[in-house]
Amino acid sequence: MKRTMMSLIGVAVALAAVSGVAAVAAPDGGAKEAPGSGTRLPVQRSALLCPAPTSSEVGETTYTAFAPKGAAAGADVKKGTAKLLPAGTVRDAGSGDDGKGGKKQDGKGGKDSGADSTGQTVAPRDTKPVVPLQEAGKPVTVTTDRSDAPALVGTADGTLAPGWTVQQTTSVAAGSGRGLLGLSCTTPDTTFWFPGVSTATDRQDYVHLTNPDSTPAVVDLELHGKDGSLTGSAGEDISVPPHTTVPVLLSTLTTSPTTNAALHVVAREGRVGAAVQASDTKLGSDWLPAAADPAPSVVLPGIPKDATSVRLVAIAPGESDADLKVQLATPTGLITPAGLESLHLKSGMTTAVDLKDITKGEAGSLVLTPSDGGSKAPVAAALRVTRGKGDKQEMAFIPATRPVEKRATAADNRDQGSTLSLVAPEKGKDAKVTVTASAGSGGGTPVSKTYTVKGGTSLDIAPPRPQGLKGGYALTVEPESGSGPVYAARMLARPQGGVPAFTVQPLPDDRGSVVVPTAGQDLSVLTD
């Protein structure tokens, strides 16, 4: 009884402490949730990971960092810092690989040595911070043409933590990896799904695993194809040393070349950031970000109006099959693609559908929902989108993404070439959204504009730009409270010698704030 009593007292004290911290950290005028549910507070620390951009000698990468102004307002919130630091790279010791690929990294027995049993950890050439932010509301940019540019690991705290975003944009002028590659640097996690990867001979797909922490991470890689699992022990026990990145060529994980596969990354120890760099011999290259967590309904926003080919790859990763209704949200409403009223996904197996030029000259977004009376099994999905024709084609990827609940951010916008896609997938539930163009990295005055997206439609816009813009700028997307759900994506188009080079970044909610539960002392729990 005495031990139980002391334990309960400890719980009460801990809850009281949590309540006290929430009260102290709350910003002036902080948003209050419903009574008893808690208080929404800005996050006090965030982490981002950027993979090594390219090994090309004719590549140029621009990093753009941004934190929304006023996201952590309050007299008792410290000023904060935000910066990225170069990470080490694990190479295969016997291949002479340049760190951007190579043989499978088999981490068995290597966790304590700081590298895997067949590879070595190569320290970064320098340790200078990259794109450190000094203030919120104004982006910072830096450009490098180094072919050995390292992966980056960084954190932000204080006023710069909520909504901190870093965009990595790489232009490769020639070679099999030519094109425009864009990626919003990722947050660390323990599980990721990548539908749309390939181990076929015309593709080279590398998954980049980056460990932000001071302890090793152990990762399993699982490939799935149309007949189920493709991998055995080859993808198991991959060790990712602290503050280090490990690139793994997916075709080394299986003896069965597969065009439409899905990759599942699982960190059994620690956590990692993960992104797939895909290079096609004819269609250029781009980053494939992780899809949103599997769910019964998914939205893939931002198919450009001039898409010449769209391919859907989906998987039901659970134990049940999934039956889906396939719809395209257009500027005028939801339509069903001809010949694709429904889609059946077998558990653990990928299904690929060639949607061809589905948009027919009108920008749109794909909406997958459970069929009437069908299973509500969770699914993961992504699109490979192609623009151009013949030898002037370029590809990009659009994974399923989370809705924008409070705010989303797209960094690295220029004077021209950006298109913002907004979709409100539910009929009768309009979404009212405020889009703000930040100050430019070299100067300019922020501008905001409000848009209404009718329920069941998709809206493509040329986003507002700052007055007197100099340099690049960021866009923030903020739904009005009480409006319908909205999803967003941003396309960058930067033609290269007749090739319509482009990249698409989904804009999920930045999770810059969290609800802290209301806590208080209740001594009644101490009585019998």
Side-chain angles (χ1 to χ4, degrees), residues 41-46 66-73 77 136 156-165 407 409 510-513:
L41 302 175
V43 298
Q44 298 180 3
R45 185 178 177 85
S46 55
F66 178 76
K69 194 171 185 178
V77 178
D157 57 23
T159 57
L160 300 178
W164 180 45
T165 302
R407 183 188 60 235
T409 301
D510 64 20
R511 293 176 174 172
S513 63

Coordinates of all heavy atoms in Angstrom, one line a residue, residues 41-46 66-73 77 136 156-165 407 409 510-513:
L41 N 0.3 24.8 -28.3 CA 1.5 25.5 -28.1 C 2.5 25.3 -29.2 O 2.5 24.2 -29.8 CB 2.2 25.1 -26.7 CG 1.3 25.3 -25.5 CD1 2.1 24.7 -24.3 CD2 1.0 26.8 -25.2
P42 N 3.3 26.3 -29.5 CA 4.3 26.0 -30.6 C 5.4 25.0 -30.1 O 5.7 25.0 -28.9 CB 4.9 27.4 -30.8 CG 4.7 28.1 -29.5 CD 3.4 27.6 -29.0
V43 N 5.9 24.2 -31.0 CA 7.0 23.3 -30.6 C 8.2 24.1 -30.2 O 8.4 25.2 -30.7 CB 7.3 22.3 -31.7 CG1 6.1 21.4 -32.0 CG2 7.8 23.1 -33.0
Q44 N 9.0 23.6 -29.3 CA 10.2 24.3 -28.9 C 11.5 23.8 -29.5 O 12.5 24.4 -29.4 CB 10.3 24.2 -27.4 CG 9.1 24.8 -26.6 CD 9.2 24.7 -25.1 OE1 10.2 24.2 -24.6 NE2 8.2 25.2 -24.4
R45 N 11.4 22.7 -30.3 CA 12.6 22.1 -30.9 C 12.1 21.3 -32.1 O 11.1 20.6 -32.0 CB 13.4 21.3 -30.0 CG 14.7 20.8 -30.5 CD 15.5 20.0 -29.5 NE 16.7 19.4 -30.0 CZ 17.9 20.0 -30.0 NH1 18.0 21.3 -29.6 NH2 19.0 19.4 -30.5
S46 N 12.8 21.4 -33.2 CA 12.5 20.6 -34.4 C 13.8 20.1 -35.1 O 14.8 20.7 -34.9 CB 11.6 21.3 -35.4 OG 12.2 22.5 -35.8
F66 N 13.8 28.5 -44.0 CA 12.8 29.5 -43.6 C 12.0 29.1 -42.4 O 11.8 27.9 -42.2 CB 11.8 29.7 -44.8 CG 10.7 30.6 -44.5 CD1 10.9 32.0 -44.6 CD2 9.4 30.2 -44.2 CE1 9.9 32.9 -44.3 CE2 8.4 31.1 -44.0 CZ 8.6 32.4 -44.0
A67 N 11.7 30.0 -41.6 CA 10.8 29.8 -40.5 C 9.7 30.9 -40.5 O 10.0 32.1 -40.6 CB 11.5 29.8 -39.1
P68 N 8.4 30.5 -40.4 CA 7.4 31.5 -40.5 C 7.4 32.6 -39.3 O 7.7 32.2 -38.2 CB 6.1 30.7 -40.4 CG 6.5 29.3 -40.8 CD 7.9 29.2 -40.3
K69 N 7.2 33.8 -39.6 CA 7.2 34.8 -38.6 C 6.0 34.8 -37.7 O 4.9 34.6 -38.2 CB 7.3 36.2 -39.3 CG 7.7 37.4 -38.4 CD 7.9 38.6 -39.2 CE 8.4 39.7 -38.3 NZ 8.7 41.0 -39.1
G70 N 6.2 35.0 -36.4 CA 5.1 35.0 -35.5 C 4.6 33.6 -35.1 O 3.6 33.5 -34.3
A71 N 5.2 32.5 -35.6 CA 4.8 31.2 -35.3 C 5.0 30.8 -33.8 O 4.3 30.0 -33.3 CB 5.5 30.1 -36.2
A72 N 5.9 31.5 -33.2 CA 6.2 31.2 -31.8 C 6.2 32.5 -31.0 O 7.1 32.8 -30.2 CB 7.6 30.5 -31.6
A73 N 5.2 33.4 -31.2 CA 5.1 34.7 -30.6 C 4.9 34.5 -29.1 O 4.3 33.6 -28.6 CB 3.9 35.5 -31.1
V77 N 9.3 33.3 -25.0 CA 9.9 32.3 -25.9 C 11.3 32.8 -26.4 O 11.4 33.9 -26.9 CB 9.0 32.1 -27.2 CG1 9.7 31.1 -28.1 CG2 7.7 31.6 -26.7
A136 N 13.1 34.9 -38.1 CA 11.9 34.3 -38.7 C 11.4 35.3 -39.7 O 11.5 36.5 -39.6 CB 10.9 33.9 -37.7
A156 N 16.4 23.1 -34.9 CA 16.0 24.5 -34.7 C 15.3 24.5 -33.3 O 14.7 23.6 -32.9 CB 15.1 25.0 -35.7
D157 N 15.5 25.7 -32.6 CA 14.8 25.8 -31.3 C 14.3 27.2 -31.1 O 14.5 28.1 -32.0 CB 15.7 25.4 -30.1 CG 17.0 26.2 -30.1 OD1 17.0 27.3 -30.7 OD2 18.0 25.8 -29.5
G158 N 13.6 27.4 -30.0 CA 13.0 28.7 -29.7 C 12.1 29.2 -30.8 O 11.2 28.5 -31.4
T159 N 12.2 30.5 -31.2 CA 11.2 31.1 -32.1 C 11.4 30.5 -33.5 O 10.5 30.7 -34.4 CB 11.5 32.6 -32.2 OG1 12.8 32.9 -32.5 CG2 11.2 33.3 -30.8
L160 N 12.5 29.9 -33.8 CA 12.7 29.4 -35.2 C 12.3 27.9 -35.3 O 12.3 27.4 -36.5 CB 14.2 29.5 -35.5 CG 14.7 31.0 -35.5 CD1 16.2 31.0 -35.9 CD2 14.0 31.8 -36.5
A161 N 11.9 27.3 -34.3 CA 11.5 25.8 -34.4 C 10.2 25.6 -35.1 O 10.1 24.7 -35.9 CB 11.5 25.2 -33.0
P162 N 9.1 26.3 -34.7 CA 7.8 26.0 -35.3 C 7.8 26.3 -36.8 O 8.1 27.5 -37.3 CB 6.8 26.9 -34.6 CG 7.5 27.4 -33.4 CD 9.0 27.4 -33.7
G163 N 7.6 25.3 -37.6 CA 7.5 25.5 -39.1 C 8.8 25.6 -39.8 O 8.8 26.0 -41.0
W164 N 9.9 25.4 -39.1 CA 11.2 25.4 -39.8 C 11.2 24.5 -41.0 O 11.0 23.3 -40.9 CB 12.3 25.1 -38.8 CG 13.7 25.1 -39.4 CD1 14.3 26.1 -40.1 CD2 14.7 24.1 -39.2 NE1 15.6 25.8 -40.4 CE2 15.9 24.6 -39.9 CE3 14.8 22.9 -38.5 CZ2 17.1 23.9 -39.9 CZ3 16.0 22.2 -38.5 CH2 17.1 22.7 -39.2
T165 N 11.6 25.0 -42.2 CA 11.5 24.3 -43.4 C 12.8 24.6 -44.2 O 13.3 25.7 -44.3 CB 10.3 24.7 -44.3 OG1 9.1 24.5 -43.5 CG2 10.3 23.9 -45.6
R407 N -0.9 24.9 -40.8 CA 0.0 25.7 -41.7 C 1.0 24.7 -42.4 O 1.4 23.7 -41.9 CB 0.8 26.7 -40.9 CG 1.8 27.6 -41.7 CD 2.7 28.4 -40.8 NE 3.5 27.6 -40.0 CZ 3.6 27.7 -38.7 NH1 2.8 28.5 -38.0 NH2 4.4 26.8 -38.0
T409 N 4.4 25.0 -45.4 CA 5.4 26.0 -46.0 C 6.1 25.4 -47.2 O 6.5 24.2 -47.1 CB 6.4 26.4 -44.9 OG1 5.8 27.0 -43.8 CG2 7.4 27.4 -45.5
D510 N 2.9 21.4 -41.2 CA 4.3 21.4 -40.6 C 4.4 21.0 -39.2 O 5.5 20.9 -38.6 CB 4.9 22.8 -40.8 CG 4.2 23.9 -40.0 OD1 3.5 23.6 -39.0 OD2 4.4 25.1 -40.4
R511 N 3.3 20.7 -38.5 CA 3.3 20.3 -37.2 C 4.1 21.2 -36.3 O 4.8 20.8 -35.4 CB 3.8 18.8 -37.1 CG 2.8 17.8 -37.7 CD 3.3 16.4 -37.7 NE 2.3 15.5 -38.3 CZ 2.6 14.2 -38.5 NH1 3.8 13.7 -38.3 NH2 1.6 13.4 -39.0
G512 N 3.9 22.5 -36.5 CA 4.7 23.5 -35.7 C 4.1 23.8 -34.4 O 4.7 24.5 -33.6
S513 N 2.9 23.2 -34.1 CA 2.3 23.3 -32.8 C 1.7 22.0 -32.4 O 1.4 21.2 -33.2 CB 1.2 24.4 -32.8 OG 0.2 24.1 -33.7

